[in-house]
Amino acid sequence: MKHYFNSLNERERWMVIGTALCVFIYVYYLFLYSPLSNHVTLKSTQLIEKTKTLAWMKTVRPSTHSPQTRQTVDNSQLLSLLASKLKEDSTLKFPYQLQQTGSGDIQLTFDEVPFKAFIRWFAKINERYAITIKQFDAEQSKTPGVIRLMIILSAA
């Protein structure tokens, strides 16, 4: 290889050296710099999101520890309680299905409901009454912030 390189005239040697340098820089960029840069960008974005989530959790945390005791309800009262609370709330005026399952649990289904509004409503209910979530299924819809929701609840 060295003999072949030495047999080239000076202009061809410089072209081979330049080509080798360009190939080295391209391989370095393709296999080392670009993946590392993308990974650092991804981790920076995740850090910002997690910092925002932590700040939100710190603001929510003190308000969730209320010293008052929650009322206990049995499964027969839970259905009427949820129905009345859904009718009272002005932010959840979306079509829903509320039914009692065979095991005495309550199934609440929304085809479309704003996620934040539902969570606020459920947090209010959970502050006053002892309710257990047995199953929670939320699917994202085409509209941002709106979900399809199915939740199975029982009295604690």
Side-chain angles (χ1 to χ4, degrees):
M1 180 95 130
K2 189 175 182 180
H3 177 67
Y4 174 74
F5 184 73
N6 288 334
S7 69
L8 298 174
N9 64 27
E10 188 173 342
R11 178 204 250 169
E12 291 171 342
R13 285 184 201 159
W14 283 110
M15 287 175 49
V16 168
I17 291 171
T19 303
L21 184 62
C22 288
V23 167
F24 176 76
I25 291 172
Y26 177 72
V27 169
Y28 171 79
Y29 175 79
L30 185 67
F31 292 112
L32 192 63
Y33 180 77
S34 180
L36 285 176
S37 175
N38 291 340
H39 191 69
V40 166
T41 305
L42 175 68
K43 291 297 180 182
S44 298
T45 305
Q46 288 176 349
L47 176 65
I48 291 169
E49 290 175 3
K50 288 180 181 186
T51 304
K52 288 180 182 178
T53 303
L54 179 61
W56 175 78
M57 288 175 69
K58 285 181 180 179
T59 61
V60 172
R61 188 177 199 188
S63 65
T64 59
H65 296 297
S66 58
Q68 56 180 287
T69 59
R70 299 184 300 181
Q71 292 180 2
T72 57
V73 292
D74 59 359
N75 284 339
S76 62
Q77 297 171 332
L78 187 58
L79 182 63
S80 61
L81 173 76
L82 289 175
S84 66
K85 295 297 182 183
L86 282 166
K87 287 179 185 175
E88 289 174 7
D89 195 281
S90 61
T91 59
L92 286 181
K93 296 296 181 191
F94 295 91
Y96 63 89
Q97 293 177 346
L98 187 63
Q99 59 189 8
Q100 191 162 5
T101 62
S103 61
D105 299 332
I106 307 299
Q107 179 177 340
L108 175 60
T109 306
F110 284 96
D111 287 332
E112 289 186 341
V113 64
F115 182 71
K116 288 183 179 181
F118 175 78
I119 293 298
R120 282 189 208 109
W121 173 82
F122 189 72
K124 287 180 195 175
I125 299 294
N126 197 32
E127 285 176 3
R128 297 187 70 200
Y129 303 100
I131 299 174
T132 303
I133 298 176
K134 295 248 180 149
Q135 184 178 349
F136 183 84
D137 184 27
E139 297 175 9
Q140 185 176 5
S141 69
K142 293 179 181 177
T143 309
V146 177
I147 60 169
R148 183 181 188 286
L149 176 82
M150 189 278 298
I151 186 168
I152 297 177
L153 305 167
S154 85

mmCIF file of all heavy atoms in Angstrom, residues 61-94:
data_model
loop_
_atom_site.group_PDB
_atom_site.id
_atom_site.type_symbol
_atom_site.label_atom_id
_atom_site.label_comp_id
_atom_site.label_asym_id
_atom_site.label_seq_id
_atom_site.Cartn_x
_atom_site.Cartn_y
_atom_site.Cartn_z
ATOM 1 N N ARG A 61 -48.652 18.667 46.206
ATOM 2 C CA ARG A 61 -48.453 17.807 47.366
ATOM 3 C C ARG A 61 -49.003 18.373 48.677
ATOM 4 O O ARG A 61 -49.707 17.664 49.382
ATOM 5 C CB ARG A 61 -46.969 17.486 47.523
ATOM 6 C CG ARG A 61 -46.687 16.462 48.576
ATOM 7 C CD ARG A 61 -45.223 16.155 48.598
ATOM 8 N NE ARG A 61 -45.001 14.904 49.262
ATOM 9 C CZ ARG A 61 -43.839 14.437 49.565
ATOM 10 N NH1 ARG A 61 -42.764 15.136 49.245
ATOM 11 N NH2 ARG A 61 -43.694 13.291 50.169
ATOM 12 N N PRO A 62 -48.723 19.612 49.051
ATOM 13 C CA PRO A 62 -49.262 20.109 50.319
ATOM 14 C C PRO A 62 -50.783 20.143 50.360
ATOM 15 O O PRO A 62 -51.374 19.950 51.402
ATOM 16 C CB PRO A 62 -48.693 21.527 50.431
ATOM 17 C CG PRO A 62 -47.507 21.544 49.542
ATOM 18 C CD PRO A 62 -47.806 20.565 48.448
ATOM 19 N N SER A 63 -51.429 20.385 49.230
ATOM 20 C CA SER A 63 -52.882 20.488 49.235
ATOM 21 C C SER A 63 -53.562 19.129 49.334
ATOM 22 O O SER A 63 -54.728 19.055 49.694
ATOM 23 C CB SER A 63 -53.359 21.211 47.981
ATOM 24 O OG SER A 63 -53.061 20.450 46.839
ATOM 25 N N THR A 64 -52.856 18.038 49.012
ATOM 26 C CA THR A 64 -53.494 16.729 49.042
ATOM 27 C C THR A 64 -53.528 16.130 50.440
ATOM 28 O O THR A 64 -54.314 15.225 50.687
ATOM 29 C CB THR A 64 -52.780 15.744 48.099
ATOM 30 O OG1 THR A 64 -51.416 15.626 48.492
ATOM 31 C CG2 THR A 64 -52.886 16.208 46.665
ATOM 32 N N HIS A 65 -52.701 16.597 51.338
ATOM 33 C CA HIS A 65 -52.685 16.050 52.692
ATOM 34 C C HIS A 65 -53.627 16.849 53.589
ATOM 35 O O HIS A 65 -53.220 17.721 54.330
ATOM 36 C CB HIS A 65 -51.265 16.074 53.267
ATOM 37 C CG HIS A 65 -50.324 15.201 52.510
ATOM 38 N ND1 HIS A 65 -50.482 13.846 52.428
ATOM 39 C CD2 HIS A 65 -49.232 15.492 51.775
ATOM 40 C CE1 HIS A 65 -49.518 13.326 51.691
ATOM 41 N NE2 HIS A 65 -48.742 14.313 51.277
ATOM 42 N N SER A 66 -54.894 16.546 53.493
ATOM 43 C CA SER A 66 -55.857 17.241 54.328
ATOM 44 C C SER A 66 -56.144 16.392 55.558
ATOM 45 O O SER A 66 -56.281 15.171 55.463
ATOM 46 C CB SER A 66 -57.133 17.520 53.550
ATOM 47 O OG SER A 66 -57.687 16.314 53.078
ATOM 48 N N PRO A 67 -56.253 17.011 56.734
ATOM 49 C CA PRO A 67 -56.439 16.257 57.952
ATOM 50 C C PRO A 67 -57.847 15.687 58.115
ATOM 51 O O PRO A 67 -58.076 14.859 58.972
ATOM 52 C CB PRO A 67 -56.127 17.282 59.056
ATOM 53 C CG PRO A 67 -56.393 18.606 58.431
ATOM 54 C CD PRO A 67 -56.089 18.436 56.975
ATOM 55 N N GLN A 68 -58.799 16.138 57.306
ATOM 56 C CA GLN A 68 -60.158 15.660 57.466
ATOM 57 C C GLN A 68 -60.279 14.214 56.996
ATOM 58 O O GLN A 68 -59.598 13.771 56.088
ATOM 59 C CB GLN A 68 -61.135 16.548 56.705
ATOM 60 C CG GLN A 68 -60.803 16.675 55.222
ATOM 61 C CD GLN A 68 -61.770 17.554 54.511
ATOM 62 O OE1 GLN A 68 -62.897 17.133 54.307
ATOM 63 N NE2 GLN A 68 -61.347 18.738 54.137
ATOM 64 N N THR A 69 -61.173 13.481 57.643
ATOM 65 C CA THR A 69 -61.385 12.092 57.264
ATOM 66 C C THR A 69 -62.414 12.031 56.140
ATOM 67 O O THR A 69 -63.313 12.863 56.055
ATOM 68 C CB THR A 69 -61.895 11.275 58.465
ATOM 69 O OG1 THR A 69 -63.116 11.844 58.931
ATOM 70 C CG2 THR A 69 -60.870 11.258 59.581
ATOM 71 N N ARG A 70 -62.245 11.059 55.310
ATOM 72 C CA ARG A 70 -63.155 10.901 54.183
ATOM 73 C C ARG A 70 -64.335 10.040 54.596
ATOM 74 O O ARG A 70 -64.197 9.112 55.387
ATOM 75 C CB ARG A 70 -62.420 10.267 53.011
ATOM 76 C CG ARG A 70 -61.261 11.116 52.532
ATOM 77 C CD ARG A 70 -60.601 10.552 51.325
ATOM 78 N NE ARG A 70 -60.062 9.214 51.583
ATOM 79 C CZ ARG A 70 -59.409 8.501 50.690
ATOM 80 N NH1 ARG A 70 -59.203 8.982 49.497
ATOM 81 N NH2 ARG A 70 -58.954 7.323 50.973
ATOM 82 N N GLN A 71 -65.481 10.359 54.033
ATOM 83 C CA GLN A 71 -66.680 9.585 54.327
ATOM 84 C C GLN A 71 -66.602 8.244 53.621
ATOM 85 O O GLN A 71 -66.171 8.156 52.476
ATOM 86 C CB GLN A 71 -67.926 10.313 53.827
ATOM 87 C CG GLN A 71 -68.255 11.568 54.555
ATOM 88 C CD GLN A 71 -69.518 12.208 53.973
ATOM 89 O OE1 GLN A 71 -70.131 11.671 53.062
ATOM 90 N NE2 GLN A 71 -69.874 13.354 54.505
ATOM 91 N N THR A 72 -67.021 7.216 54.317
ATOM 92 C CA THR A 72 -67.069 5.903 53.679
ATOM 93 C C THR A 72 -68.468 5.694 53.114
ATOM 94 O O THR A 72 -69.463 6.081 53.714
ATOM 95 C CB THR A 72 -66.752 4.780 54.675
ATOM 96 O OG1 THR A 72 -67.667 4.849 55.759
ATOM 97 C CG2 THR A 72 -65.324 4.904 55.190
ATOM 98 N N VAL A 73 -68.498 5.137 51.933
ATOM 99 C CA VAL A 73 -69.758 4.802 51.284
ATOM 100 C C VAL A 73 -69.679 3.339 50.869
ATOM 101 O O VAL A 73 -68.596 2.814 50.620
ATOM 102 C CB VAL A 73 -70.032 5.689 50.044
ATOM 103 C CG1 VAL A 73 -70.286 7.115 50.435
ATOM 104 C CG2 VAL A 73 -68.890 5.622 49.064
ATOM 105 N N ASP A 74 -70.821 2.677 50.819
ATOM 106 C CA ASP A 74 -70.793 1.307 50.323
ATOM 107 C C ASP A 74 -71.121 1.302 48.834
ATOM 108 O O ASP A 74 -71.482 2.323 48.251
ATOM 109 C CB ASP A 74 -71.736 0.395 51.127
ATOM 110 C CG ASP A 74 -73.177 0.858 51.082
ATOM 111 O OD1 ASP A 74 -73.446 1.894 50.447
ATOM 112 O OD2 ASP A 74 -74.027 0.183 51.680
ATOM 113 N N ASN A 75 -70.964 0.148 48.218
ATOM 114 C CA ASN A 75 -71.117 0.064 46.761
ATOM 115 C C ASN A 75 -72.523 0.419 46.298
ATOM 116 O O ASN A 75 -72.701 0.906 45.189
ATOM 117 C CB ASN A 75 -70.737 -1.338 46.272
ATOM 118 C CG ASN A 75 -69.239 -1.528 46.248
ATOM 119 O OD1 ASN A 75 -68.485 -0.564 46.207
ATOM 120 N ND2 ASN A 75 -68.783 -2.766 46.286
ATOM 121 N N SER A 76 -73.532 0.217 47.126
ATOM 122 C CA SER A 76 -74.889 0.567 46.717
ATOM 123 C C SER A 76 -75.086 2.079 46.678
ATOM 124 O O SER A 76 -75.863 2.593 45.876
ATOM 125 C CB SER A 76 -75.906 -0.082 47.659
ATOM 126 O OG SER A 76 -75.719 0.399 48.981
ATOM 127 N N GLN A 77 -74.410 2.818 47.531
ATOM 128 C CA GLN A 77 -74.525 4.278 47.551
ATOM 129 C C GLN A 77 -73.618 4.946 46.517
ATOM 130 O O GLN A 77 -73.858 6.071 46.113
ATOM 131 C CB GLN A 77 -74.157 4.819 48.931
ATOM 132 C CG GLN A 77 -75.053 4.378 50.046
ATOM 133 C CD GLN A 77 -74.498 4.786 51.403
ATOM 134 O OE1 GLN A 77 -73.283 4.910 51.564
ATOM 135 N NE2 GLN A 77 -75.388 4.984 52.367
ATOM 136 N N LEU A 78 -72.579 4.235 46.120
ATOM 137 C CA LEU A 78 -71.575 4.827 45.229
ATOM 138 C C LEU A 78 -72.170 5.215 43.879
ATOM 139 O O LEU A 78 -71.849 6.265 43.337
ATOM 140 C CB LEU A 78 -70.402 3.865 45.045
ATOM 141 C CG LEU A 78 -69.201 4.376 44.276
ATOM 142 C CD1 LEU A 78 -68.618 5.620 44.928
ATOM 143 C CD2 LEU A 78 -68.142 3.294 44.164
ATOM 144 N N LEU A 79 -73.052 4.381 43.347
ATOM 145 C CA LEU A 79 -73.651 4.675 42.046
ATOM 146 C C LEU A 79 -74.458 5.967 42.087
ATOM 147 O O LEU A 79 -74.289 6.842 41.240
ATOM 148 C CB LEU A 79 -74.533 3.507 41.603
ATOM 149 C CG LEU A 79 -75.196 3.650 40.234
ATOM 150 C CD1 LEU A 79 -74.146 3.715 39.141
ATOM 151 C CD2 LEU A 79 -76.151 2.505 39.995
ATOM 152 N N SER A 80 -75.306 6.122 43.073
ATOM 153 C CA SER A 80 -76.113 7.344 43.165
ATOM 154 C C SER A 80 -75.251 8.553 43.500
ATOM 155 O O SER A 80 -75.503 9.665 43.010
ATOM 156 C CB SER A 80 -77.228 7.169 44.198
ATOM 157 O OG SER A 80 -76.669 6.908 45.470
ATOM 158 N N LEU A 81 -74.207 8.358 44.303
ATOM 159 C CA LEU A 81 -73.290 9.450 44.630
ATOM 160 C C LEU A 81 -72.586 9.970 43.383
ATOM 161 O O LEU A 81 -72.561 11.178 43.134
ATOM 162 C CB LEU A 81 -72.259 8.986 45.660
ATOM 163 C CG LEU A 81 -71.150 9.979 45.968
ATOM 164 C CD1 LEU A 81 -71.675 11.085 46.863
ATOM 165 C CD2 LEU A 81 -69.975 9.290 46.600
ATOM 166 N N LEU A 82 -72.045 9.057 42.588
ATOM 167 C CA LEU A 82 -71.344 9.474 41.361
ATOM 168 C C LEU A 82 -72.304 10.120 40.374
ATOM 169 O O LEU A 82 -71.957 11.114 39.731
ATOM 170 C CB LEU A 82 -70.645 8.280 40.725
ATOM 171 C CG LEU A 82 -69.424 7.747 41.464
ATOM 172 C CD1 LEU A 82 -68.907 6.489 40.789
ATOM 173 C CD2 LEU A 82 -68.330 8.781 41.561
ATOM 174 N N ALA A 83 -73.494 9.590 40.251
ATOM 175 C CA ALA A 83 -74.479 10.180 39.327
ATOM 176 C C ALA A 83 -74.823 11.604 39.739
ATOM 177 O O ALA A 83 -74.873 12.509 38.895
ATOM 178 C CB ALA A 83 -75.726 9.316 39.283
ATOM 179 N N SER A 84 -75.036 11.817 41.027
ATOM 180 C CA SER A 84 -75.375 13.175 41.468
ATOM 181 C C SER A 84 -74.198 14.127 41.321
ATOM 182 O O SER A 84 -74.367 15.278 40.929
ATOM 183 C CB SER A 84 -75.857 13.146 42.924
ATOM 184 O OG SER A 84 -74.805 12.760 43.785
ATOM 185 N N LYS A 85 -72.988 13.667 41.611
ATOM 186 C CA LYS A 85 -71.809 14.528 41.471
ATOM 187 C C LYS A 85 -71.527 14.870 40.011
ATOM 188 O O LYS A 85 -71.074 15.962 39.695
ATOM 189 C CB LYS A 85 -70.574 13.874 42.109
ATOM 190 C CG LYS A 85 -70.679 13.716 43.611
ATOM 191 C CD LYS A 85 -70.784 15.056 44.284
ATOM 192 C CE LYS A 85 -70.849 14.888 45.786
ATOM 193 N NZ LYS A 85 -71.025 16.143 46.490
ATOM 194 N N LEU A 86 -71.785 13.927 39.108
ATOM 195 C CA LEU A 86 -71.596 14.210 37.682
ATOM 196 C C LEU A 86 -72.616 15.233 37.186
ATOM 197 O O LEU A 86 -72.295 16.073 36.343
ATOM 198 C CB LEU A 86 -71.694 12.924 36.868
ATOM 199 C CG LEU A 86 -70.457 12.036 36.885
ATOM 200 C CD1 LEU A 86 -70.788 10.664 36.343
ATOM 201 C CD2 LEU A 86 -69.325 12.670 36.111
ATOM 202 N N LYS A 87 -73.833 15.181 37.700
ATOM 203 C CA LYS A 87 -74.851 16.145 37.288
ATOM 204 C C LYS A 87 -74.566 17.529 37.855
ATOM 205 O O LYS A 87 -74.838 18.534 37.213
ATOM 206 C CB LYS A 87 -76.235 15.676 37.726
ATOM 207 C CG LYS A 87 -76.745 14.520 36.915
ATOM 208 C CD LYS A 87 -78.099 14.070 37.391
ATOM 209 C CE LYS A 87 -78.534 12.834 36.627
ATOM 210 N NZ LYS A 87 -79.799 12.294 37.137
ATOM 211 N N GLU A 88 -74.014 17.589 39.061
ATOM 212 C CA GLU A 88 -73.726 18.877 39.707
ATOM 213 C C GLU A 88 -72.572 19.619 39.044
ATOM 214 O O GLU A 88 -72.566 20.835 38.985
ATOM 215 C CB GLU A 88 -73.367 18.658 41.184
ATOM 216 C CG GLU A 88 -74.499 18.245 42.057
ATOM 217 C CD GLU A 88 -74.031 17.911 43.466
ATOM 218 O OE1 GLU A 88 -72.843 18.134 43.789
ATOM 219 O OE2 GLU A 88 -74.859 17.429 44.242
ATOM 220 N N ASP A 89 -71.585 18.880 38.581
ATOM 221 C CA ASP A 89 -70.371 19.506 38.059
ATOM 222 C C ASP A 89 -70.615 20.114 36.680
ATOM 223 O O ASP A 89 -71.057 19.435 35.763
ATOM 224 C CB ASP A 89 -69.240 18.482 37.979
ATOM 225 C CG ASP A 89 -67.903 19.141 37.801
ATOM 226 O OD1 ASP A 89 -67.597 19.528 36.667
ATOM 227 O OD2 ASP A 89 -67.184 19.283 38.798
ATOM 228 N N SER A 90 -70.294 21.390 36.539
ATOM 229 C CA SER A 90 -70.531 22.086 35.267
ATOM 230 C C SER A 90 -69.405 21.854 34.258
ATOM 231 O O SER A 90 -69.589 22.083 33.060
ATOM 232 C CB SER A 90 -70.692 23.582 35.515
ATOM 233 O OG SER A 90 -69.505 24.101 36.087
ATOM 234 N N THR A 91 -68.249 21.414 34.709
ATOM 235 C CA THR A 91 -67.129 21.223 33.783
ATOM 236 C C THR A 91 -67.179 19.877 33.072
ATOM 237 O O THR A 91 -66.514 19.696 32.072
ATOM 238 C CB THR A 91 -65.782 21.331 34.528
ATOM 239 O OG1 THR A 91 -65.735 20.330 35.550
ATOM 240 C CG2 THR A 91 -65.605 22.705 35.124
ATOM 241 N N LEU A 92 -67.967 18.921 33.581
ATOM 242 C CA LEU A 92 -68.032 17.594 32.963
ATOM 243 C C LEU A 92 -69.377 17.357 32.281
ATOM 244 O O LEU A 92 -70.017 16.337 32.484
ATOM 245 C CB LEU A 92 -67.791 16.511 34.012
ATOM 246 C CG LEU A 92 -66.364 16.344 34.483
ATOM 247 C CD1 LEU A 92 -66.263 15.233 35.500
ATOM 248 C CD2 LEU A 92 -65.422 16.087 33.343
ATOM 249 N N LYS A 93 -69.800 18.279 31.466
ATOM 250 C CA LYS A 93 -71.053 18.132 30.723
ATOM 251 C C LYS A 93 -70.785 17.399 29.408
ATOM 252 O O LYS A 93 -71.020 17.915 28.324
ATOM 253 C CB LYS A 93 -71.699 19.492 30.450
ATOM 254 C CG LYS A 93 -72.112 20.217 31.698
ATOM 255 C CD LYS A 93 -73.185 19.455 32.446
ATOM 256 C CE LYS A 93 -73.589 20.221 33.689
ATOM 257 N NZ LYS A 93 -74.421 19.472 34.581
ATOM 258 N N PHE A 94 -70.281 16.184 29.528
ATOM 259 C CA PHE A 94 -69.979 15.351 28.375
ATOM 260 C C PHE A 94 -70.767 14.051 28.515
ATOM 261 O O PHE A 94 -71.034 13.598 29.628
ATOM 262 C CB PHE A 94 -68.476 15.043 28.310
ATOM 263 C CG PHE A 94 -67.636 16.259 28.070
ATOM 264 C CD1 PHE A 94 -67.131 16.988 29.143
ATOM 265 C CD2 PHE A 94 -67.349 16.672 26.787
ATOM 266 C CE1 PHE A 94 -66.369 18.115 28.933
ATOM 267 C CE2 PHE A 94 -66.581 17.801 26.572
ATOM 268 C CZ PHE A 94 -66.091 18.530 27.636
#
